Amino acid sequence: MRRQNLRSFTFTIFTVLVLQADSTQPPFSCDSSNPSAKTFPFCKTTLPISQRANDLVSRLTLEEKISQLVNSAQPIPRLGIPGYQWWSEALHGIAYAGPGIRFNGTIKRAASFPQVILSAASFDANQWYRISQAIGKEARALYNAGQATGMTFWAPNINIFRDPRWGRGQETPGEDPLMTGKYAVSYVRGLQGDSFKGGEINGPLQASACCKHFTAYDLENWNGTSRYVFDAYVTAQDLADTYQPPFKSCVEEGRASGIMCAYNRVNGIPNSADSNFLSRTARAQWGFDGYIASDCDAVSIIHDAQGYAKTPEDAVVA
């Protein structure tokens, strides 16, 4: 990882995991019941986040760093860091589709709201906010009840729905970039615990939202071409007018803590390996400082299906 990306990654770990220092249920890093926690600078809440993150990274072995770069991040007992599951779903309500949520305790179910394209048809940004606010509160309740192993939710889906043959179109707000961007902002603010107007999160997140799939992604499998190998040829104007505005709003106004890359390529370059999108656009231009995740197995697909990387190792580096 480059230094900037590593700093952003570890910042997110602190935002999501190091939420309090006096709780034993559910598990948090820097638990006050662990005597060794008091000796680690990364556990001292009086220090700047950047200093704490640098201290934590300096203590990790290479193997431990690698173990944190998958959705099922392994625990690091010697540092008092519990395991963490990055993959949970909350498209229109907390779902059991991802491995991070369980309904096997005192909480047996969660609210399921209408599919996104139906909620979006109301053109009511305040309603979108109230829906995601309820989702975020239920997410926090599940975690506090010990029925969640992560607080990162891979939602909202803010892809532009241009072709009605795309089977996942109902997951999105629709075809309008302006409306989709407003939906993204409302959803992220509600889930993460911000106010409707934004700018009021001064402490831990209620939960972590992840805007997906970045970018120009609306094909599943058509005429022998799958989403894994599809190469979307998109003009600079169409990117600026259509595909990027929702993600820009998600980052700049919603302050989302996560972005997920799409499987496909855009103009020949896999989204997960596109430094123009991920570094120069999202981070440098929009000021994104959260985590960026590939979609499931997307890194291997860069080599196995797309042939963009010559070796699996080259795919990881890309």
Side-chain angles (χ1 to χ4, degrees), residues 212-227:
K212 65 182 186 183
H213 309 81
F214 191 49
T215 187
Y217 177 71
D218 64 351
L219 181 143
E220 203 77 15
N221 195 324
W222 178 78
N223 202 25
T225 299
S226 75
R227 57 181 175 165

Side-chain angles (χ1 to χ4, degrees), residues 91 116 155-159 166 168 171-173 183 210 212-213:
L91 181 67
V116 177
N157 182 343
I158 55 172
N159 291 125
W166 184 33
R168 295 183 68 175
E171 297 182 12
T172 77
Y183 178 88
C210 177
K212 65 182 186 183
H213 309 81

Side-chain angles (χ1 to χ4, degrees), residues 14-34 37 43 79-83 140 143-144 151 204:
F14 278 113
T15 302
V16 177
L17 289 181
V18 190
L19 299 179
Q20 46 187 294
D22 57 357
S23 175
T24 57
Q25 177 68 27
F28 290 93
S29 298
C30 301
D31 193 321
S32 60
S33 65
N34 181 356
C43 288
L79 297 178
I81 299 174
R140 174 57 60 179
Y143 192 81
N144 289 346
M151 287 296 291

